[in-house]
Amino acid sequence: YPDGTPTPYLQSRLLMGIKLYQTGKARALIMSGDNRTSHYDEPTAMKKFAVAHGVPADKVVLDYAGYDTYDTCYRVHNLFGVGSAILVTHGYHLPRALLTCNDLGIKSVGVKADRPGSSFSKLYILREVFSINKAAIQLIFKPKPAVLGPKLNTIPKALAAPGS
């Protein structure tokens, strides 16, 4: 929302990620989203929500240029050095997210963040049909994201493998 709070739709994904962290299944959370303008900052809103729900701030890594699934997977692997991940998203989006991350070098498993009794509008399903075609083209040609940024010299501490 414009006030910086995540929509209920986004909150369901965040709550699942928080649960994975709190149960020890995830060492850290990557919040990836759009931050194209000073008035729209998804990653920071997601981090604030996670911290308010008990995740330590230093266990939340932000990707400010996750404009789409491909960009997120590409950046997280190539810039952040992530080799494996648990993807949290909605059921209709999960197959495409898994295909994309695995194809770009991130060994991935997925967890659906659908809330019981929730349904998604036909608009989301229609959007996914177009997104699948876009992803196929991206995975064939493997373009660099429009906003790539420099490769990090070190993996963010929260993402580092235990003992490294």
Side-chain angles (χ1 to χ4, degrees):
Y1 291 121
D3 68 357
T5 60
T7 64
Y9 179 77
L10 178 54
Q11 284 182 26
S12 65
R13 292 194 317 247
L14 293 170
L15 289 169
M16 180 57 73
I18 292 164
K19 180 179 179 181
L20 290 169
Y21 176 80
Q22 291 174 338
T23 58
K25 292 181 176 43
R27 293 189 317 268
L29 302 176
I30 299 174
M31 303 300 185
S32 183
D34 195 341
N35 183 38
R36 291 178 216 224
T37 73
S38 61
H39 302 292
Y40 192 73
D41 184 354
E42 290 175 331
T44 299
M46 291 187 280
K47 180 176 183 173
K48 287 179 183 177
F49 186 89
V51 170
H53 284 79
V55 178
D58 67 341
K59 295 296 183 181
V60 180
V61 177
L62 302 181
D63 173 27
Y64 291 106
Y67 302 137
D68 64 19
T69 304
Y70 179 88
D71 285 7
T72 295
C73 295
Y74 189 105
R75 289 171 50 78
V76 166
H77 180 65
N78 290 289
L79 301 182
F80 295 4
V82 172
S84 63
I86 300 170
L87 307 182
V88 178
T89 190
H90 296 286
Y92 71 87
H93 175 242
L94 196 54
R96 178 170 57 89
L98 286 167
L99 174 69
T100 302
C101 278
N102 280 301
D103 190 76
L104 291 174
I106 302 173
K107 289 175 138 181
S108 303
V109 296
V111 177
K112 288 194 311 185
D114 299 336
R115 294 180 299 175
S118 69
S119 62
F120 299 99
S121 71
K122 292 177 185 173
L123 179 62
Y124 283 117
I125 304 302
L126 181 61
R127 180 176 175 251
E128 190 62 17
V129 170
F130 289 105
S131 296
I132 289 168
N133 291 317
K134 177 183 172 187
I137 292 167
Q138 289 171 316
L139 292 174
I140 290 167
F141 294 105
K142 296 204 174 27
K144 287 186 178 179
V147 177
L148 187 57
K151 184 171 184 164
L152 304 177
N153 291 329
T154 60
I155 295 172
K157 193 172 190 176
L159 300 177
S164 60

